[in-house]
Amino acid sequence: MAQEKRDYYETLGVGRDAGEDEIKQAFKRLARQYHPDVNKADPEAEAKFKEINEAYEILGDREKRARYDQFGHAGPGQGFGGFDPGAGSGGFGDLRDLFDMFMGAQRPRHGPEAGADLAYDLELSLEEAFRGLKRTIAVPRIETCETCRGSGAKPGTKPERCPRCQGTGQVRSVQSTFLGQVQTVRTCEHCGGAGVIIAERCPDCRGAGRVRRQRQVEVSIPAGVDEGTRIRIAGGGEAGRRGGPTGDLYVIIRLKPHPVFQRRGRDIIVSQPIGFVQAALGAEVEVPTLEGQATLRLPEGTQSGTRLRMRGKGMPDLEGRGRGDQHVQVIVVTPQGLNEAQRAALREFARLGGDQLSEADRTLFQRLRDVFGA
């Protein structure tokens, strides 16, 4: 039985949402690690290298990657099954790619190149995170020049093919060495690897084809966001090159510390001071919540430090699965500044046995006496 082929994303050690640059960097790192010339003592290095190259040949090509994401290894017309050492579209099939990688050369790109993703930290209060809202933010980013529509040339003109490299962006030369004739490739110095020459540059972008602008972007923030929540805005990043797609904008939520509430996931924690009589006899008290004041019932004999739950008074769930709870930690406040009548009432309370400890309290008190020798 044939061995099941590994998932290409797993082979390169990247997630299925990895961008082109991340996939490329992962491939280069693994290719250097497992290249047979570097790992001559490892009999599995060559097979591993072929597996890495095959994965990159698919994931490094947008159309092939899209088909693979939809159909997997068994996709129609994919040809995923074998490694073609002569293929030059993806991995290191072309020997020039190997030479470039190990000799440090960089080959210019002439096809569409995706724009960079951007990140924006957005600070919110806990109340804003509780309610959700729409917020307009100013995002500085690189955009396609509207004057030249990305060509870099002055309106009415257009870029011309580089006469030195004939539009390839590369200059090839052949040198004789003790190993024979070696062909080297370097970036064309005349056009900088672009393959075209701009005789008259656009006055706005100065030939770059892109300009930096500050764009107003409206962000819809759902109720229940937490620290570190990322909101993706497709196409909100920087413009691509040579007709490439625009990157994405990721708005990262940062929550301000709150003077009253603490957040633990979907739950809210708050401290509530209560009086001695309220704790002893039980009472209904008003406590703050993210929606305003709410009534909490204190049971008779409530002890300081007791935590009571108010169900459904916490943060909303981002996926719409209800709300968390609010936990109220009560703190019994000892009265101060008593007048004579109050003191007399407390003495009478004590005389009637009100200051007697429960059995559990007496046991704890005895332990403390035993430990400290009091």
Side-chain angles (χ1 to χ4, degrees):
M1 181 180 293
Q3 185 177 2
E4 185 179 353
K5 187 182 292 291
R6 289 180 64 193
D7 179 77
Y8 287 142
Y9 291 98
E10 181 182 351
T11 298
L12 295 183
V14 299
R16 302 190 77 86
D17 59 347
E20 293 180 1
D21 289 341
E22 183 180 354
I23 290 175
K24 179 180 178 182
Q25 293 303 320
F27 167 64
K28 286 188 175 182
R29 174 176 52 80
L30 292 172
R32 289 190 179 96
Q33 181 178 351
Y34 291 103
H35 192 273
D37 291 343
V38 180
N39 296 271
K40 296 180 179 180
D42 186 357
E44 299 180 359
E46 183 175 358
K48 183 69 174 177
F49 179 77
K50 289 183 179 180
E51 182 183 20
I52 294 167
N53 194 90
E54 179 182 336
Y56 182 64
E57 184 178 352
I58 303 304
L59 300 186
D61 183 282
R62 289 187 181 180
E63 294 184 2
K64 292 181 180 180
R65 180 181 180 183
R67 291 197 298 269
Y68 176 72
D69 287 343
Q70 185 175 4
F71 300 106
H73 293 292
Q78 295 280 12
F80 290 161
F83 164 64
D84 179 8
S89 62
F92 280 126
D94 192 329
L95 291 179
R96 289 190 301 273
D97 287 338
L98 282 174
F99 178 82
D100 287 349
M101 188 189 78
F102 288 103
M103 298 304 292
Q106 293 184 350
R107 304 181 70 197
R109 289 180 170 229
H110 306 292
E113 182 178 338
D117 293 339
L118 297 177
Y120 185 98
D121 287 344
L122 179 59
E123 193 174 51
L124 300 177
S125 67
L126 187 59
E127 288 85 356
E128 290 173 326
F130 171 77
R131 294 189 301 267
L133 71 158
K134 289 187 177 181
R135 176 73 61 83
T136 300
I137 60 177
V139 180
R141 65 181 186 181
I142 295 176
E143 300 182 348
T144 300
C145 178
E146 296 178 356
T147 303
C148 66
R149 298 184 179 180
S151 71
K154 181 181 177 181
T157 67
K158 62 181 181 179
E160 301 176 355
R161 187 173 66 174
C162 175
R164 185 167 300 178
C165 66
Q166 299 302 311
T168 65
Q170 301 172 336
V171 176
R172 301 176 184 272
S173 60
V174 178
Q175 296 178 339
S176 297
T177 70
F178 68 95
L179 295 175
Q181 288 188 330
V182 177
Q183 179 178 258
T184 60
V185 181
R186 69 178 187 276
T187 301
C188 177
E189 298 177 355
H190 190 58
C191 65
V196 295
I197 298 295
I198 300 176
E200 296 185 75
R201 296 183 177 183
C202 171
D204 290 344
C205 66
R206 300 181 181 273
R210 304 192 302 172
V211 293
R212 180 169 290 276
R213 298 252 193 267
Q214 183 161 284
R215 184 69 61 181
Q216 301 294 315
V217 179
E218 185 177 72
V219 185
S220 294
I221 302 165
V225 291
D226 202 350
E227 174 74 20
T229 298
R230 299 203 316 169
I231 301 173
R232 175 176 172 265
I233 301 177
E238 296 191 340
R241 294 180 181 273
R242 297 177 292 277
T246 304
D248 297 332
L249 171 65
Y250 290 90
V251 178
I252 304 173
I253 301 300
R254 304 298 180 193
L255 292 184
K256 303 175 185 177
H258 199 280
V260 175
F261 301 109
Q262 296 181 37
R263 180 174 181 174
R264 296 289 184 272
R266 294 192 307 162
D267 291 345
I268 295 295
I269 301 172
V270 64
S271 296
Q272 176 68 35
I274 62 173
F276 168 75
V277 176
Q278 291 174 313
L281 301 180
E284 290 185 349
V285 296
E286 294 294 309
V287 297
T289 72
L290 289 169
E291 298 176 288
Q293 295 293 109
T295 302
L296 173 66
R297 175 65 187 175
L298 300 175
E300 183 177 321
T302 299
Q303 301 298 307
S304 187
T306 298
R307 183 171 290 187
L308 303 174
R309 176 182 295 180
M310 302 179 72
R311 296 187 181 275
K313 293 296 184 181
M315 297 291 292
D317 185 88
L318 273 176
E319 299 180 0
R321 297 178 298 192
R323 288 173 53 179
D325 301 327
Q326 176 164 303
H327 300 269
V328 181
Q329 184 169 359
V330 297
I331 302 172
V332 179
V333 179
T334 303
Q336 297 177 332
L338 301 177
N339 56 36
E340 190 55 39
Q342 291 171 324
R343 291 192 185 93
L346 287 177
R347 292 191 189 100
E348 180 62 17
F349 173 76
R351 187 185 70 80
L352 295 174
D355 60 350
Q356 293 181 357
L357 299 176
S358 66
E359 186 61 33
D361 294 333
R362 281 198 298 269
T363 301
L364 175 61
F365 186 65
Q366 185 60 45
R367 290 177 186 169
L368 292 174
R369 291 188 61 183
D370 293 341
V371 170
F372 295 103

